[in-house]
């Protein structure tokens, strides 16, 4: 029973920390361009090649 008194607040604290991190990433714009990275693999970059 004493173990639960420590584990429940720790679990709630970690959950709130994860939720705060998620909302922070939303405000910073981390989820604005979800398809950009997936489609960037198909773009061929022209690199200068030495003759």
């Amino acid at each position: 029973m004493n173990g639960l008194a420590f584990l429940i607040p720790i679990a709630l604290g970690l959950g709130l920390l994860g939720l705060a991190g998620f909302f922070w990433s939303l405000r910073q714009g981390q989820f604005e361009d979800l398809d950009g990275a997936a489609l960037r693999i198909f773009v061929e970059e022209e690199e200068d090649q030495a003759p």
Side-chain angles (χ1 to χ4, degrees):
M1 189 68 178
N2 288 337
L4 289 177
F6 292 111
L7 292 177
I8 291 175
I10 290 173
L12 290 174
L14 287 175
L16 290 175
L17 184 66
L19 190 63
F22 174 71
F23 285 130
W24 175 81
S25 65
L26 279 178
R27 275 194 290 137
Q28 296 298 319
Q30 296 293 319
F31 298 110
E32 287 182 1
D33 186 21
L34 295 177
D35 294 328
L39 296 175
R40 204 171 302 136
I41 194 170
F42 296 120
V43 176
E44 293 184 18
E45 295 180 7
E46 295 181 18
E47 297 179 7
D48 294 331
Q49 296 178 351

